[in-house]
Amino acid sequence: MPELPEVETVRRGLDKLTTKQPIEGGEVLLQRTLAYPLSNAEFCPYLVGNLISSWERRGKYLLARLSSGGCLGVHLRMTGQLLWVNQNTLLQKHTRIRLFFPDSQELRFVDTRTFGKFWLVPPDVAPETIITGLQKLGLEPFDSEFTPNYLAKKINKRRRPIKTLLLEQSIVAGMGNIYADEALFKSGIKPDVLGTDLKETQIQQLHSAIVEVLQTAIDQGGTTFSDFLNLLGVSGNYGNAAWVYGRKGEPCRVCKTPIQKIKLSGRSCHFCPSCQS
Ligand SMILES: [Zn+2]
């Protein structure tokens, strides 16, 4: 599943390639990809003639600001991919939505598992009233208010494994499985330590590890894992440099102990039993 660095990579591509151009048309090939409005008759006609003024990201949500007011929201979920292609490019089997731009260009949404969603938020309506998932999001990791103190308040009283807590979008918006494993390794914390048992210094280390790991992954253009591709169909580079994620049985890059993989709350966790406690 694309996480914050992958969604941010897509946002940067969208901002560069699709803004300041009119949407000339659209086509919805899978009705249930539309979360709001539910009808194609309302979706495409509204978009036509609109320019996208900018793309924003909130957690794993993408929000395009439209010139006539309102915005277009997109969530890639498990397997959604946005691709910038020529309209003559052969339709991929799992193409769900197409938006047409000048010069035969197209923003194409391809989604094998069909969990991805689009929302059209009318003008003068707050996006979170339509895209309700936005209401639950915690702070962005690059927000100035995301501090060790904030993190401590969110996890100190929680008797659940820290790895499970990190995956709650209400603590750090956009955090997912790959980068939670990586940040816990960088801060020397085992994934099953309870939130209540973390010391102040550990929370400080975790805070800086979260910011560092996410920034590194953005700099690498996202991950090589989970079939992630950017807007031009190119994979990121982060996976090659991963500390623990996807490295079960391989030697720890610091101490050579084999990396272990366990399950917590149904999600896989990779960690070094020697570097993390
Ligand atoms: Zn190690």
Side-chain angles (χ1 to χ4, degrees):
M1 182 191 285
E3 303 182 25
L4 185 149
E6 291 74 49
V7 179
E8 177 61 20
T9 300
V10 172
R11 187 199 69 77
R12 291 178 181 193
L14 288 167
D15 220 31
K16 204 165 128 190
L17 297 165
T18 71
T19 52
K20 313 290 187 283
Q21 303 182 60
I23 299 173
E24 295 183 333
E27 196 181 351
V28 178
L29 285 85
L30 182 73
Q31 205 59 38
R32 68 169 180 276
T33 305
L34 281 190
Y36 190 91
L38 294 174
S39 95
N40 191 8
E42 290 174 87
F43 183 74
C44 291
Y46 183 84
L47 285 175
V48 171
N50 262 285
L51 271 66
I52 294 172
S53 36
S54 66
W55 283 91
E56 295 163 21
R57 182 192 53 73
R58 190 67 182 94
K60 300 177 201 169
Y61 291 86
L62 290 160
L63 295 171
R65 297 284 168 190
L66 302 173
S67 54
S68 65
C71 69
L72 175 71
V74 181
H75 199 302
L76 307 173
R77 303 276 191 226
M78 300 284 285
T79 53
Q81 290 180 345
L82 283 166
L83 296 168
W84 184 245
V85 292
N86 188 286
Q87 288 165 25
N88 298 325
T89 307
L90 200 65
L91 271 195
Q92 291 89 338
K93 190 178 170 199
H94 303 291
T95 302
R96 308 306 183 193
I97 287 186
R98 308 174 71 193
L99 295 179
F100 304 124
F101 288 82
D103 302 323
S104 303
Q105 291 298 111
E106 174 184 340
L107 184 63
R108 187 175 289 180
F109 184 63
V110 182
D111 187 14
T112 318
R113 301 280 299 274
T114 72
F115 293 116
K117 292 287 177 217
F118 275 56
W119 295 262
L120 189 55
V121 182
D124 307 318
V125 175
E128 54 270 26
T129 57
I130 303 279
I131 311 172
T132 50
L134 291 172
Q135 296 168 9
K136 306 182 196 102
L137 294 180
L139 286 177
E140 290 288 322
F142 302 112
D143 191 313
S144 59
E145 288 173 34
F146 180 70
T147 58
N149 198 22
Y150 164 86
L151 197 55
K153 276 189 189 151
K154 287 280 188 180
I155 59 186
N156 257 345
K157 295 189 173 76
R158 305 284 307 277
R159 287 195 56 79
R160 300 190 76 193
I162 182 61
K163 168 68 188 285
T164 308
L165 292 175
L166 284 180
L167 295 181
E168 290 180 9
Q169 297 302 298
S170 56
I171 297 178
V172 191
M175 183 56 99
N177 213 25
I178 300 175
Y179 302 106
D181 278 3
E182 295 288 284
L184 286 170
F185 175 82
K186 288 291 280 180
S187 46
I189 301 168
K190 256 181 88 180
D192 59 354
V193 176
L194 301 182
T196 43
D197 293 344
L198 283 175
K199 297 175 188 70
E200 201 183 323
T201 49
Q202 287 179 303
I203 291 175
Q204 282 168 357
Q205 282 160 348
L206 179 59
H207 171 267
S208 44
I210 288 170
V211 175
E212 188 193 321
V213 159
L214 292 173
Q215 186 59 58
T216 304
I218 291 171
D219 294 344
Q220 300 279 330
T223 185
T224 30
F225 294 116
S226 54
D227 303 327
F228 168 71
L229 299 176
N230 71 14
L231 221 51
L232 300 174
V234 180
S235 149
N237 281 319
Y238 184 81
N240 303 326
W243 292 96
V244 288
Y245 187 83
R247 301 194 63 242
K248 181 190 172 191
E250 292 178 41
C252 169
R253 296 194 196 277
V254 173
C255 73
K256 306 278 186 271
T257 306
I259 299 299
Q260 286 188 13
K261 182 181 175 183
I262 56 167
K263 280 226 165 180
L264 278 176
S265 315
R267 304 295 300 273
S268 67
C269 297
H270 304 79
F271 69 100
C272 170
S274 166
C275 292
Q276 294 169 255
S277 57

